[in-house]
Amino acid sequence: MPYTYDDQNIFAKILRGEIPSSMVVETEHSFAFNDISEQAPHHVLVIPKGAYVCYDHFAAQATDAEIVDYTRTIGAVCKQLGLEPGAGGAGYRLIANSGAHAVQEVPHLHVHILGGRPLGRMLQQV
Ligand code: AMP
């Protein structure tokens, strides 16, 4: 089933400048800003400017230029925050919640970059 993008979601409003955000980086195709409810000392959300609901939607429909820009922007934010393990940083976690089981709250693709403290195991043990 094809995705239907809701242009009234909160990240679409941030991209249109209708509500404020704490910008970290902006590029031609991507936008990064601090999460309003940070779960770690560093908690940045990176979104594509295009209308993509979640990661697989983006992977299937985005242009090569958008994908390259988005991937590089995520890396650039990790570098800007000093989190890169290869440069002496303590590391980070990327999360892209998609759909119901992942409890995606905002239906516009976003990758969470989390770091600045030990983050524990990947998933809660059930
Ligand atoms: P998810 O559960 O992966 O969809 O995460 C959505 C994230 O968006 C949550 O971590 C929220 O804290 C964050 N969020 C919601 N509204 C805003 C906002 N206006 N500015 C920044 N982050 C937001």
Side-chain angles (χ1 to χ4, degrees), residues 3 53-56 96-108 110:
Y3 285 109
V53 174
C54 59
Y55 197 89
D56 59 279
N97 294 319
S98 301
H101 277 191
V103 197
Q104 181 181 5
E105 293 177 356
V106 181
H108 182 114
H110 49 285

Side-chain angles (χ1 to χ4, degrees), residues 10-11 14 19-20 33-37 43 45 97 103-106 110 112:
I10 198 152
F11 294 168
I14 285 175
I19 61 172
F33 55 103
N34 288 302
D35 196 294
I36 203 166
S37 180
H43 187 170
L45 300 172
N97 294 319
V103 197
Q104 181 181 5
E105 293 177 356
V106 181
H110 49 285
H112 298 253

